[in-house]
Amino acid sequence: MRQVVVNDLVFGSGRMKICVPVCEKTTEAVLDAVKEIKTTPADLIEWRIDYFDEDMFAAAPEILKAAAPLPVLCTFRTKAEGGEKAIDPMDYFAMNAQLSALGAPLVDLELFLCEQYDDIAKETVQAMHDMGTKLIISNHDFSKTPAREEIADRYKRMMALNADLPKIAVMPQNERDVMVMLAAMNESTAFCGPLIGISMGELGKVTRVRGGAFGSVMTFASKGKASAPGQIDAETLSKMLNEN
Ligand SMILES: O=C1C[C@@](O)(C(=O)O)C[C@@H](O)[C@@H]1O
């Protein structure tokens, strides 16, 4: 299987990697959260920049350094996909390229924005890859689970945009939706190799624990504040992942 290497982490080898998000407004609070997360079995840290109220470019080097040896996934989740802030699309692409220039090892770009601004997205992806950043291309639906074919198609479109790790998080309305998501992930691994798939909420918790058997290589866990419904505490999740 294709593998994706970010610092010392090899996605596509061994168990799902545990990513713990930080949703804080200030540099001081982010640094405190990073310190706390480093006491957990987290493999990487997601910095949710849409929560951040200070100058992200001034803070980034310090935050990346504080997290080391854990890599930081930089994510500005837009309002349209369940994030905290709206952002002008041109600023969005420029911001992500700048984070890459500042040394971000892994950055999340949203599929729908990339497709809407295809030319600038392709240029940005290329520039970020040239600077050594790996890219997650993502899509979120906080209200429902699209059809299996649609989920599989979105994974394919992410790969067409040169994603290193395609990621989809959806909300199940019933048990069947969770199985739809697992089936879409399982079928998509043949095409994508390592991917990330999450069925959110209480019903979808199984995907955060056993998604690895269906092709998922990263699972999001909480330390304190959760950034999405259904996230399991990092220590608890790590024990569950190791119980094979
Ligand atoms: O895309 C994701 C996945 C997520 O929504 C989850 O369901 O755990 C949490 C977000 O912080 C992250 O950016």
Side-chain angles (χ1 to χ4, degrees):
M1 176 152 101
R2 192 172 65 88
Q3 294 186 333
V4 177
V5 181
V6 179
N7 297 6
D8 293 335
L9 291 183
V10 184
F11 294 93
S13 158
R15 67 153 173 74
M16 283 195 290
K17 306 298 182 280
I18 300 176
C19 182
V20 178
V22 173
C23 304
E24 299 292 349
K25 291 180 191 305
T26 65
T27 309
E28 200 187 340
V30 171
L31 293 174
D32 284 347
V34 163
K35 212 168 165 189
E36 273 284 295
I37 293 169
K38 286 175 85 176
T39 67
T40 75
D43 297 298
L44 70 160
I45 295 175
E46 180 186 50
W47 179 23
R48 281 286 303 265
I49 300 176
D50 50 307
Y51 282 87
F52 197 62
D53 284 342
E54 296 178 356
D55 179 346
M56 69 179 86
F57 304 126
E62 198 180 352
I63 291 170
L64 296 180
K65 192 164 160 231
L70 303 189
V72 177
L73 159 61
C74 294
T75 301
F76 187 105
R77 178 73 54 243
T78 66
K79 197 102 184 161
E81 298 224 5
E84 287 296 292
K85 293 189 183 94
I87 182 169
D88 171 84
M90 292 309 120
D91 292 345
Y92 175 81
F93 289 109
M95 168 194 72
N96 282 301
Q98 182 61 22
L99 288 167
S100 198
L102 289 168
L106 187 61
V107 171
D108 179 305
L109 292 179
E110 292 173 5
L111 174 70
F112 289 172
L113 266 179
C114 288
E115 289 186 330
Q116 215 181 331
Y117 299 91
D118 191 54
D119 289 346
I120 176 97
K122 283 188 176 135
E123 260 172 51
T124 307
V125 166
Q126 182 65 52
M128 291 172 75
H129 273 151
D130 289 347
M131 288 187 271
T133 298
K134 295 283 177 8
L135 291 172
I136 288 179
I137 298 190
S138 69
N139 175 248
H140 309 76
D141 191 325
F142 281 84
S143 64
K144 62 181 186 307
T145 299
R148 183 176 56 79
E149 297 76 8
E150 173 59 25
I151 298 171
D153 187 58
R154 289 182 192 177
Y155 275 126
K156 280 205 175 115
R157 283 151 47 197
M158 291 167 182
M159 293 311 286
L161 283 162
N162 259 337
D164 295 289
L165 292 170
K167 174 176 81 174
I168 299 184
V170 294
M171 188 62 87
Q173 304 281 12
N174 50 47
E175 293 79 355
R176 195 177 160 70
D177 281 346
V178 179
M179 292 191 275
V180 163
M181 184 58 191
L182 289 172
M185 288 156 58
N186 186 233
E187 120 185 15
S188 299
T189 50
F191 181 81
C192 304
L195 52 76
I196 304 165
I198 302 151
S199 186
M200 293 185 281
E202 200 50 39
L203 273 173
K205 270 187 177 169
V206 62
T207 64
R208 298 188 186 273
V209 184
R210 289 292 174 245
F214 299 82
S216 192
V217 297
M218 193 191 295
T219 179
F220 288 80
S222 60
K223 175 74 188 167
K225 256 181 255 171
S227 71
Q231 278 174 0
I232 299 166
D233 162 78
E235 272 100 0
T236 311
L237 180 61
S238 173
K239 283 189 199 127
M240 293 166 102
L241 292 183
N242 293 333
E243 272 168 15
N244 273 312

